Amino acid sequence: MNIHEYQGKAILKSFGVRVQEGIVADTAEQAVEAAKKLKVDYNSDWVVIKAQIHAGGRGKGGGVKLAKNLEEVREKAGHIIGMQLITPQTGPEGKLVSKVLVAQDVYYPGESDTKEFYVSVLLDRSRGRNIIMYSTEGGMDIEEVAEHTPHLIFKEEIDPKVGLQGFQARKIAFNLGLSGDAFKDMTKFIASLYKAYEATDSSMFEINPVLKTSDNKILAVDAKVNLDDNGLFRHPDFAAMRDTSEEDPTEVEASKSNLNYVKLDGNVGCMVNGAGLAMATMDIIKLAGGEPANFLDVGGTANAETVKAGFNIILSDPNVKAILINIFGGIVRCDRVAQGVIDAYKEIGNIPVPIIVRLQGTNAVEAKKLIDESGLKVYSAILLKEAAALVTKVLENK
Ligand code: GDP
Ligand code: MN
């Protein structure tokens, strides 16, 4: 689950990571109030207005603006709120901005004495360990750095048995070229950041830039946080951070029914029990000459309700020309799934695309019989090969 910058910063702060302070606002008026409050706390008129969307590259897209007085706050916040912000990460349609973070300007005074770094904590799946990635080349173009000068990006691997060691935090601060107070502050920053990452069961914390201020403090100016969905049950307080308006609406609908759904661009919808079988089914669709329209794992306990929810979600995609249901009956009995398909079909009514059902495993033969005798426009198969041939056939008939 992705969260907004302001939420990520709140988490960081609660673990003692110093952050660029800010107050979130929904309207230009609230932004002005936020700026007044920040002025009392930090005694500076300058604030930065930052669009809150689940995508990076906001600076480049015009979603991060400096305001030097309250008039500018009103004007710039008013401009950013409601805009369709296009950044290198949003795709050409952009994302609607409904909130801004009004934050203290931490580059002032003395911008020339500041330095931007890149620091992230993430899971290196090939190593099976958490790593801290860092670079002196922080700021807006880390992707460019990774592509053209990858030797400027360092990695520090954490041994899960002993956790982050003091010498590792010092090594990072040293490699970032720091000394004196900034060096000390960076070691503290790294230690707290790592603690926050571990304690929240996150899969990524990316802080770009981490700033060394002109008075040698180290703080997080940005926060891109991805919380591991599989760990969310341990953090019920994070549920409120979910912003479904940032997510694909069909995926939100699917997660309500406990379905594991990812939308793709193809023409054959599929509904499968088990992630591995779902992957194999997508391969079969390609072999049959189609393109998968989605990944959909209905889980091990598919019943009429889940089948119906799955149908509705697949059918909401106008590109779908055929649906392939591929269920292996292990714990779940094929005849019950077949009945579920028939019931869901009747309930939804006129399904405009051909459906191919392949049921294998416990009671597969009974299931095929049920479908064949239902009188509905559903093709049944037992072997995957037969199912693939049926997909090819219905696509050719279109
Ligand atoms: P991103 O573009 O989505 O990654 O958003 P960031 O939060 O990283 O902000 C983009 C850029 O805005 C940063 O790299 C900074 O150069 C700049 N920026 C952010 N906060 C401030 C600030 O307080 N003062 C000034 N002058 N620039 C800032
Ligand atoms: Mn950034």
Side-chain angles (χ1 to χ4, degrees):
M1 178 174 99
N2 288 320
I3 57 176
H4 287 293
E5 172 195 359
Y6 76 94
Q7 297 163 325
K9 281 179 166 171
I11 291 178
L12 289 172
K13 204 176 159 184
S14 73
F15 284 91
V17 182
R18 198 198 309 268
V19 300
Q20 173 193 43
E21 297 288 342
I23 298 169
V24 72
D26 298 313
T27 62
E29 216 36 62
Q30 282 180 16
V32 171
E33 290 311 309
K36 282 186 195 158
K37 172 108 196 359
L38 285 174
K39 180 180 162 70
V40 174
D41 290 353
Y42 301 102
N43 194 30
S44 162
D45 280 342
W46 291 25
V47 294
V48 58
I49 314 281
K50 310 179 78 177
Q52 298 298 290
I53 54 168
H54 285 188
R58 294 162 302 163
K60 280 186 182 163
V64 178
K65 294 270 187 243
L66 196 61
K68 296 178 181 164
N69 54 51
L70 294 180
E71 260 327 291
E72 285 189 15
V73 171
R74 192 187 311 275
E75 177 207 326
K76 293 183 176 173
H79 176 69
I80 294 175
I81 295 171
M83 86 190 276
Q84 197 72 19
L85 180 57
I86 301 170
T87 84
Q89 296 180 18
T90 56
E93 70 285 0
K95 281 196 162 190
L96 178 68
V97 182
S98 48
K99 280 182 177 16
V100 291
L101 180 63
V102 182
Q104 60 173 148
D105 172 25
V106 283
Y107 289 63
Y108 178 87
E111 187 156 352
S112 56
D113 301 331
T114 60
K115 172 90 186 97
E116 292 180 322
F117 303 106
Y118 172 92
V119 180
S120 63
V121 191
L122 66 158
L123 176 65
D124 182 338
R125 290 176 191 276
S126 61
R127 301 280 306 154
R129 289 184 169 189
N130 292 324
I131 56 168
I132 298 178
M133 262 214 283
Y134 60 102
S135 176
T136 50
E137 309 305 299
M140 291 206 261
D141 279 316
I142 196 67
E143 287 81 10
E144 300 268 308
V145 179
E147 198 175 321
H148 301 296
T149 48
H151 60 280
L152 295 178
I153 298 182
F154 298 93
K155 288 179 186 170
E156 188 66 26
E157 189 173 301
I158 317 300
D159 182 338
K161 286 199 294 293
V162 292
L164 176 73
Q165 297 290 292
F167 81 88
Q168 293 182 296
R170 291 194 291 279
K171 180 173 150 196
I172 292 170
F174 180 80
N175 283 341
L176 291 175
L178 296 170
S179 59
D181 287 346
F183 178 96
K184 261 194 234 151
D185 212 35
M186 181 60 89
T187 59
K188 264 178 39 199
F189 182 91
I190 297 289
S192 318
L193 178 66
Y194 191 73
K195 197 168 75 189
Y197 168 86
E198 272 209 311
T200 51
D201 293 311
S202 288
S203 31
M204 188 184 68
F205 268 40
E206 185 184 62
I207 318 297
N208 187 29
V210 171
L211 189 75
K212 182 193 85 67
T213 60
S214 52
D215 57 349
N216 289 318
K217 290 197 172 73
I218 303 295
L219 52 79
V221 170
D222 193 2
K224 192 168 172 185
V225 172
N226 180 260
L227 304 167
D228 185 343
D229 290 341
N230 295 315
L232 281 178
F233 75 98
R234 300 209 284 199
H235 307 278
D237 46 323
F238 290 168
M241 291 189 180
R242 182 157 198 177
D243 184 350
T244 48
S245 70
E246 290 277 345
E247 298 173 17
D248 184 291
T250 44
E251 290 181 19
V252 174
E253 196 52 43
S255 80
K256 273 191 214 146
S257 312
N258 268 328
L259 301 171
N260 216 332
Y261 172 87
V262 181
K263 184 169 172 351
L264 301 168
D265 298 327
N267 55 359
V268 181
C270 53
M271 180 161 24
V272 190
N273 63 338
L277 189 59
M279 303 287 273
T281 305
M282 288 158 67
D283 285 346
I284 292 293
I285 289 172
K286 287 205 94 161
L287 280 175
E291 284 287 335
N294 65 278
F295 169 96
L296 173 56
D297 172 12
V298 294
T301 53
N303 55 32
E305 275 313 300
T306 39
V307 170
K308 193 176 137 210
F311 263 140
N312 277 322
I313 287 161
I314 294 175
L315 288 170
S316 69
D317 177 355
N319 294 333
V320 169
K321 300 284 174 278
I323 299 175
L324 172 58
I325 301 176
N326 187 11
I327 303 283
F328 178 76
I331 299 167
V332 49
R333 278 169 30 203
C334 289
D335 54 330
R336 290 180 66 173
V337 176
Q339 196 57 53
V341 171
I342 295 166
D343 292 349
Y345 195 119
K346 284 186 177 153
E347 205 178 317
I348 296 173
N350 213 0
I351 294 182
V353 298
I355 296 170
I356 299 136
V357 185
R358 181 253 176 175
L359 293 158
Q360 178 62 285
T362 312
N363 291 359
V365 178
E366 290 85 340
K368 185 168 178 354
K369 191 156 170 268
L370 271 176
I371 288 178
D372 290 344
E373 289 172 0
S374 69
L376 299 174
K377 205 181 154 204
V378 179
Y379 304 90
S380 69
I382 292 181
L383 297 179
L384 209 42
K385 206 167 64 178
E386 299 165 357
L390 283 168
V391 170
T392 312
K393 194 179 124 198
V394 300
L395 286 179
E396 278 169 358
N397 282 351
K398 277 271 141 186

